[in-house]
Amino acid sequence: MSGGPPKALPSTGPQSLRDMPHPLAGSSSEEAVGGDSTPSPDLLTARSFGDKDLILPNGGTPAGTASPASSSSLLNRLQLDDDVDGETRDLFVTVDDPKKHVCTMETYITYRITTKSTRVEFDLPEYSVRRRYQDFDWLRNKLEESQPTHLIPPLPEKFVVKGVVDRFSEEFVETRRKALDKFLKRITDHPVLSFNEHFNVFLTAKDLNAHKKQGMALLTRVGESVKHVAGGYKLRSRPLEFAAIGEYLDTFALKLGTIDRIAQRIIKEEIEYLVELREYGPVYSTWSALEGELAEPLEGVSACIGSCSAALEELTDDTTEDFLPVLREYILYSDSMKSVLKKRDHVQAEYEAKLEAVALRKEERPKVPADVEKCQDRMECFNADLKADMERWQNNKRQDFRQLLMGMADKNIQYYEKCLMAWESIIPLLQEKQEDK
Amino acid sequence: MEQAAPDPERLLQPAPLEPLSHPDTGLESVVGEGAKGARDEGPGDGTMTESNFSLKKIEISVSEAEKRTGRNAMNMQETYTAYLIETRSVEHSDGQSVLTDSLWRRYSEFELLRNYLLVYYPHIVVPPLPEKRAEFVWHKLSADNMDPDFVERRRIGLENFLLRLASHPILCRDKIFYLFLTQEGNWKETVNETGFQLKADSRLKALNATFRVKNPDKRFIELKHYSDELQSVISHLLRVRARVADRLYGVYKVHGNYGRVFSEWSAIEKEMGDGLQSAGHHMDVYASSIDDILEDEEHYADQLKEYLFYAEALRAVCRKHELMQYDLEMAAQDLASKKQQCEELATGTVRTFSLKGMTTKLFGQETPEQREARIKMLEEQIKEGEQQLKSKNLEGREFVKNAWADIERFKEQKNHDLKEALISYAVMQISMCKKGIQVWTNAKECFSKM
């Protein structure tokens, strides 16, 4: 985005989510919230996917906006992902079209969630609902509750801590939208989580609040029972492979934190550089006004510096909007993964304690009681799930960072290319001979 | 240039601008040096012809700088830098150059030379010296006069100064300049013997003239205004440029931190490790590339600085004109008042105040003989005054003519030089951009292999 104060989203006026038409009424892919409020062109057009999003390895495609380029990159991407066969992908989820809602009590943003699926779990082939951040938060909590043995992707931060960021600025909303989209795509990509009933409800329910109130009782294999694992069991030692994971995550988060700080520092320096450039360029203009033959060359240099300033601003904006959020997301991810590791430890501890208790009891029938068996089962499932998720996570992480860092390099290349063009174009002007001026 | 009647108003009109037609215009130096020889134009082509001597091409270079210690005028130890000036004469036939002179000079001797030239060639825009103390430094640059980078840039600046002199059609013929290049010992005494310090106009006198001159040449007013503005805008430019350099330095250097953290991160990764590690290396390259980039930019800053100081030289010429013009106005005024006095004495009317008139009133009239005597004296003074005014007027016109010739030459030189400077600046920027693209492309490739 170019410079200027962040733009506020057009408001739709007081509306309730309940008032929104059924997703399938009329054209489902068009949003009819608030009647005749027309979304600004920016929001509609650009909110399909840029190239970057298409290369996401975590699944999902732009629903209904497939262009030749997108389907080929979709195929490329899918080949990298071991778990998903391009032909069997049967669930596509998209987050787009943010809209501001102004109510008496509060103002908030909703996003359109479009789902296309051939799975039997879905009654209809296509859904379009609107959700707000709260709803995503609810979903995540539900997933954590119901699938405690799996790694649940992180959400973008709930509150904006640093600085005076406008929650309703276009830049902030877009950054958040991308993160929410990533969140859903990661779930979509997951062989277990994507079948979770809460996820289904989230994607399809016309009125999510009603569902929230009902508090669905779900039966999952390990879910309910694991919730009640007492905290009293202490693990003696973590198995080597999980200890390694734990250590890895610690160092990983540390390094990401450092990179985050470096990136912030670079942005700060670039902004200060920009401030000086903005004073520097105009001085050439002032000088140009004094001169005769030199007037055009000097003015040209001034314009050139102006172009470079604009390019630099774009670079810093991109870094802020695209680079930093992904870094932070992964730090959150590794934090939540560490707590899953701890849960796993508890399960193992419980099993080991119970096993020990049995061994000490010295019964005539040294048969392993049912509940100890259940514990063992629980532990082994947990370990298996976790290992599988870790592997998938590592793979996705590699793709994500590859893309992220290549993107960062790309932005810098583009910045320098813009500056290069500006300076090269001015050389002929500077070399021009004055003809009888 | 003969005046029909001694009309003060007409005498005060400055000479109209004469076109720079004849190539010899402006060659008549005020000091009155003799022979004209072949003259080489173009700044910095480093050649000069000697006047009064055989025609030879000469190359000048300031090739070395050396730290010295010695005793100053107050017999205290001091450290200073001496610069080696080498002069080579080029034989026309085979183009070979032979070292003819080499001697050491310190900055203060360059200053002495320039001050001398300022006095003897007030109608010339005398090339400036490189700065005495480092100014407009950004944080990494040293403000220390002994710093090797500063000394090196000063060496180049001094060489440039000598080359400017050598390629100036008038200044290149100056004997003191010639001796500066050829006579190591005793040169200072020779310069001082010219008594130029005495001929120098006092600052106070010049300031006075600036405020009181009534009718200076409009073109000089404009020129003075221009040189003030030029000075102001280049100062501003140099200040901001220094800050820009500072900030740019910061941006590049922080990227170096990526190098370190990528390396540390690569240690815990399997497949990603190599890509990260090699990308980190490129970040280090990127961070260190800024040092050379900014060093090159200092040359650009030096080119700007030269013209910043040139603005001062322009002002000096304007000041001299103001002084001469003021002098002329005063002389004309004085003449006019004497004539009036004479007339009053002759006719017996008293229109102007005079002490004599006053005393006459108080103490009684003077005798006719006394009056005659006074009239006679006044008439003589008037005749003298008219002569003086005529020659001052002539001088004034000559000055304006010669000065404008040099100013036109200067303008062309300035336009040419600054255009070249801007081009080289653009080229530097282009090079910097290309380097940036290269580094990030390399890094991108490393990332792609992750």
Side-chain angles (χ1 to χ4, degrees):
Chain A
M1 272 167 226
S2 54
K7 292 191 274 191
L9 286 183
S11 170
T12 58
Q15 287 283 330
S16 155
L17 282 167
R18 292 172 207 275
D19 293 339
M20 288 193 290
H22 189 280
L24 298 181
S27 57
S28 64
S29 51
E30 287 316 308
E31 209 33 56
V33 176
D36 29 82
S37 69
T38 349
S40 77
D42 297 355
L43 295 176
L44 269 186
T45 50
R47 288 325 107 203
S48 319
F49 293 84
D51 286 341
K52 200 159 21 125
D53 293 345
L54 291 177
I55 322 175
L56 267 187
N58 297 7
T61 36
T65 57
S67 60
S70 60
S71 28
S72 68
S73 47
L74 164 62
L75 230 45
N76 285 340
R77 180 183 21 90
L78 291 174
Q79 273 146 21
L80 299 166
D81 197 339
D82 310 312
D83 283 39
V84 182
D85 184 18
E87 286 149 30
T88 63
R89 183 165 285 275
D90 56 0
L91 176 63
F92 303 91
V93 178
T94 306
V95 179
D96 64 2
D97 191 34
K99 272 206 165 57
K100 189 155 107 179
H101 299 259
V102 181
C103 306
T104 40
M105 294 305 288
E106 54 175 349
T107 304
Y108 59 90
I109 309 272
T110 63
Y111 304 84
R112 177 178 66 187
I113 320 294
T114 311
T115 308
K116 287 192 171 118
S117 178
T118 53
R119 290 186 184 180
V120 294
E121 289 80 10
F122 293 90
D123 296 332
L124 301 166
E126 203 172 310
Y127 288 91
S128 183
V129 298
R130 294 214 76 105
R131 300 285 181 249
R132 56 185 289 191
Y133 184 92
Q134 258 177 27
D135 304 329
F136 284 84
D137 202 28
W138 168 87
L139 172 63
R140 188 170 195 281
N141 290 334
K142 281 292 179 221
L143 286 174
E144 267 191 333
E145 273 174 32
S146 54
Q147 317 271 187
T149 63
H150 288 286
L151 302 175
I152 316 295
L155 277 177
E157 281 152 345
K158 194 169 201 151
F159 305 108
V160 185
V161 181
K162 282 209 178 107
V164 198
V165 179
D166 178 11
R167 276 188 309 138
F168 302 110
S169 75
E170 219 176 274
E171 289 85 7
F172 177 79
V173 170
E174 174 56 17
T175 302
R176 192 172 249 203
R177 185 203 63 79
K178 282 195 200 129
L180 294 174
D181 184 80
K182 195 82 162 287
F183 171 72
L184 291 184
K185 284 185 161 65
R186 280 172 171 152
I187 299 171
T188 306
D189 213 28
H190 197 285
V192 175
L193 294 179
S194 63
F195 286 94
N196 183 289
E197 273 196 278
H198 298 289
F199 185 49
N200 188 300
V201 159
F202 177 90
L203 292 176
T204 60
K206 210 174 74 157
D207 181 1
L208 192 64
N209 290 329
H211 276 282
K212 287 189 196 176
K213 286 183 186 134
Q214 278 168 33
M216 294 172 68
L218 298 178
L219 292 168
T220 60
R221 265 187 307 142
V222 198
E224 296 295 313
S225 44
V226 178
K227 258 201 305 185
H228 303 299
V229 169
Y233 298 104
K234 194 70 187 293
L235 185 70
R236 252 173 249 128
S237 69
R238 214 181 232 182
L240 225 59
E241 60 182 328
F242 293 110
I245 292 175
E247 272 171 40
Y248 169 82
L249 288 175
D250 281 336
T251 312
F252 178 68
L254 215 69
K255 293 308 147 195
L256 286 194
T258 305
I259 293 175
D260 181 271
R261 276 192 299 281
I262 294 171
Q264 279 185 63
R265 179 73 192 280
I266 288 176
I267 290 171
K268 178 168 168 287
E269 295 287 336
E270 280 174 351
I271 288 175
E272 288 177 350
Y273 174 47
L274 189 61
V275 165
E276 300 300 347
L277 278 183
R278 290 227 162 97
E279 192 182 326
Y280 185 50
V283 181
Y284 282 98
S285 278
T286 309
W287 188 357
S288 156
L290 297 175
E291 296 288 340
E293 198 179 312
L294 288 176
E296 260 184 54
L298 286 169
E299 193 56 56
V301 170
S302 176
C304 217
I305 295 172
S307 307
C308 294
S309 304
L312 181 62
E313 187 169 19
E314 270 184 61
L315 178 64
T316 51
D317 282 346
D318 283 329
T319 311
T320 310
E321 284 154 26
D322 299 329
F323 186 73
L324 290 179
V326 177
L327 276 182
R328 291 184 185 146
E329 208 174 84
Y330 261 92
I331 297 176
L332 290 172
Y333 217 154
S334 50
D335 283 343
S336 77
M337 284 158 72
K338 281 193 271 185
S339 49
V340 175
L341 270 178
K342 286 210 185 86
K343 276 193 236 161
R344 189 219 69 87
D345 287 348
H346 285 142
V347 170
Q348 181 177 337
E350 190 191 354
Y351 166 65
E352 284 176 356
K354 289 206 170 132
L355 196 65
E356 220 177 273
V358 167
L360 291 172
R361 255 185 289 158
K362 290 186 186 135
E363 282 185 345
E364 326 79 45
R365 297 173 298 155
K367 183 178 66 109
V368 179
D371 71 328
V372 178
E373 245 178 45
K374 251 205 216 151
C375 268
Q376 184 183 20
D377 206 29
R378 219 182 288 145
M379 179 189 77
E380 282 169 1
C381 285
F382 208 150
N383 289 349
D385 284 346
L386 199 54
K387 272 204 329 229
D389 273 10
M390 256 323 282
E391 223 179 279
R392 133 193 322 276
W393 180 87
Q394 281 285 10
N395 210 27
N396 288 341
K397 173 210 79 184
R398 184 171 158 215
Q399 304 304 336
D400 282 347
F401 274 97
R402 185 166 163 274
Q403 180 200 319
L404 181 74
L405 292 169
M406 281 177 75
M408 170 176 95
D410 245 338
K411 290 295 175 194
N412 276 279
I413 292 170
Q414 282 166 29
Y415 160 71
Y416 277 113
E417 279 177 346
K418 283 181 204 144
C419 294
L420 179 67
M421 199 170 71
W423 285 106
E424 278 182 337
S425 71
I426 207 207
I427 295 272
L429 172 72
L430 293 175
Q431 287 174 330
E432 203 175 67
K433 292 277 176 213
Q434 291 275 311
E435 327 267 338
D436 307 299
K437 286 227 172 160
Chain B
M1 281 180 290
E2 299 293 318
Q3 276 81 243
D7 181 349
E9 290 313 311
R10 272 185 52 198
L11 287 172
L12 293 175
Q13 287 308 313
L17 175 63
E18 245 145 311
L20 187 60
S21 51
H22 196 267
D24 282 332
T25 308
L27 262 188
E28 302 147 294
S29 99
V30 174
V31 177
E33 288 257 300
K36 301 168 190 169
R39 185 168 35 92
D40 295 301
E41 293 283 24
D45 76 340
T47 61
M48 146 183 158
T49 56
E50 303 168 58
S51 59
N52 306 328
F53 299 87
S54 52
L55 292 176
K56 278 190 264 175
K57 272 206 177 220
I58 289 183
E59 286 170 3
I60 309 175
S61 66
V62 178
S63 43
E64 276 172 51
E66 204 177 80
K67 214 154 61 168
R68 300 255 179 98
T69 46
R71 298 219 164 254
N72 66 6
M74 291 176 287
N75 207 32
M76 284 165 48
Q77 255 227 331
E78 58 167 2
T79 319
Y80 62 91
T81 312
Y83 301 87
L84 179 65
I85 305 174
E86 292 179 320
T87 317
R88 290 179 162 73
S89 82
V90 185
E91 301 298 326
H92 282 292
S93 44
D94 55 0
Q96 294 273 19
S97 71
V98 177
L99 185 67
T100 51
D101 289 283
S102 105
L103 41 66
W104 293 86
R105 294 267 184 231
R106 53 185 294 192
Y107 187 85
S108 57
E109 291 174 280
F110 281 85
E111 277 184 311
L112 189 61
L113 172 64
R114 185 166 191 270
N115 290 338
Y116 161 84
L117 292 172
L118 281 173
V119 170
Y120 274 96
Y121 301 88
H123 59 296
I124 301 288
V125 184
V126 179
L129 285 170
E131 54 191 355
K132 190 161 189 142
R133 259 162 284 281
E135 272 184 69
F136 306 112
V137 289
W138 55 283
H139 88 275
K140 218 211 136 208
L141 278 193
S142 171
D144 175 21
N145 280 10
M146 289 288 142
D147 178 75
D149 285 332
F150 178 77
V151 169
E152 173 58 16
R153 294 209 325 277
R154 186 185 253 193
R155 183 193 66 73
I156 295 170
L158 291 173
E159 186 177 275
N160 188 52
F161 169 72
L162 293 177
L163 294 176
R164 293 270 193 219
L165 291 184
S167 55
H168 191 284
I170 296 173
L171 297 177
C172 67
R173 303 157 176 291
D174 186 270
K175 179 121 186 263
I176 296 289
F177 173 47
Y178 178 71
L179 292 176
F180 180 85
L181 297 174
T182 57
Q183 180 191 78
E184 183 152 24
N186 225 40
W187 176 81
K188 273 212 279 224
E189 288 74 10
T190 314
V191 184
N192 290 327
E193 272 163 24
T194 63
F196 79 93
Q197 280 107 335
L198 300 170
K199 296 201 177 75
D201 298 314
S202 81
R203 260 321 221 210
L204 198 59
K205 216 171 132 201
L207 200 62
N208 191 39
T210 306
F211 287 125
R212 296 201 183 177
V213 67
K214 292 203 187 72
N215 204 21
D217 188 318
K218 221 194 301 228
R219 293 168 299 170
F220 280 101
I221 298 179
E222 276 170 24
L223 186 67
K224 193 169 75 160
H225 183 70
Y226 169 76
S227 58
D228 284 342
E229 302 270 282
L230 187 69
Q231 209 166 20
S232 158
V233 84
I234 298 185
S235 297
H236 189 193
L237 194 63
L238 286 169
R239 261 196 315 273
V240 184
R241 191 214 71 90
R243 294 204 305 259
V244 166
D246 230 344
R247 292 302 175 196
L248 190 61
Y249 184 80
V251 170
Y252 271 73
K253 286 301 176 189
V254 179
H255 278 85
N257 292 323
Y258 274 148
R260 197 188 62 242
V261 74
F262 283 168
S263 178
E264 291 167 2
W265 183 10
S266 72
I268 60 170
E269 296 291 342
K270 295 189 208 81
E271 301 116 331
M272 277 169 61
D274 288 335
L276 273 177
Q277 177 87 314
S278 45
H281 161 74
H282 290 296
M283 291 293 99
D284 287 331
V285 169
Y286 181 69
S288 58
S289 69
I290 191 65
D291 296 301
D292 284 341
I293 290 170
L294 287 178
E295 200 181 292
D296 286 343
E297 263 197 35
E298 280 311 309
H299 293 302
Y300 172 66
D302 285 338
Q303 286 172 297
L304 292 181
K305 273 184 211 168
E306 191 191 14
Y307 277 92
L308 174 68
F309 303 142
Y310 252 127
E312 183 51 48
L314 273 180
R315 281 286 267 106
V317 176
C318 297
R319 265 201 304 272
K320 183 66 184 180
H321 165 74
E322 279 168 351
L323 240 159
M324 290 180 77
Q325 182 65 10
Y326 178 66
D327 216 24
L328 184 70
E329 286 170 8
M330 288 291 103
Q333 207 176 308
D334 187 58
L335 182 67
S337 100
K338 286 207 163 75
K339 284 186 177 168
Q340 183 131 45
Q341 265 183 45
C342 198
E343 194 199 312
E344 284 169 11
L345 279 179
T347 59
T349 56
V350 182
R351 264 179 286 137
T352 58
F353 174 81
S354 73
L355 196 56
K356 197 67 195 173
M358 205 58 232
T359 55
T360 311
K361 275 217 149 77
L362 291 172
F363 301 112
Q365 286 256 353
E366 52 185 356
T367 65
E369 293 82 20
Q370 284 175 316
R371 197 149 55 119
E372 270 315 309
R374 275 215 297 141
I375 288 176
K376 202 141 211 123
M377 191 179 72
L378 274 175
E379 276 175 351
E380 266 179 44
Q381 285 178 345
I382 286 170
K383 210 147 102 191
E384 246 180 73
E386 276 174 348
Q387 289 281 54
Q388 266 194 17
L389 194 62
K390 204 149 92 176
S391 71
K392 274 200 189 354
N393 225 349
L394 192 69
E395 251 180 65
R397 286 185 212 260
E398 274 301 300
F399 177 88
V400 169
K401 187 175 84 173
N402 296 332
W404 271 102
D406 198 57
I407 286 163
E408 289 301 320
R409 182 206 60 80
F410 168 76
K411 276 190 194 159
E412 276 195 41
Q413 174 199 299
K414 174 202 79 169
N415 287 339
H416 174 270
D417 288 351
L418 288 175
K419 249 200 221 174
E420 290 296 313
L422 289 177
I423 291 172
S424 78
Y425 185 65
V427 167
M428 276 182 235
Q429 301 304 307
I430 287 170
S431 154
M432 180 172 91
C433 291
K434 286 189 173 158
K435 277 192 207 149
I437 292 173
Q438 184 64 62
V439 156
W440 282 105
T441 305
N442 291 342
K444 185 177 172 187
E445 208 183 295
C446 295
F447 290 139
S448 74
K449 298 203 183 106
M450 263 167 46

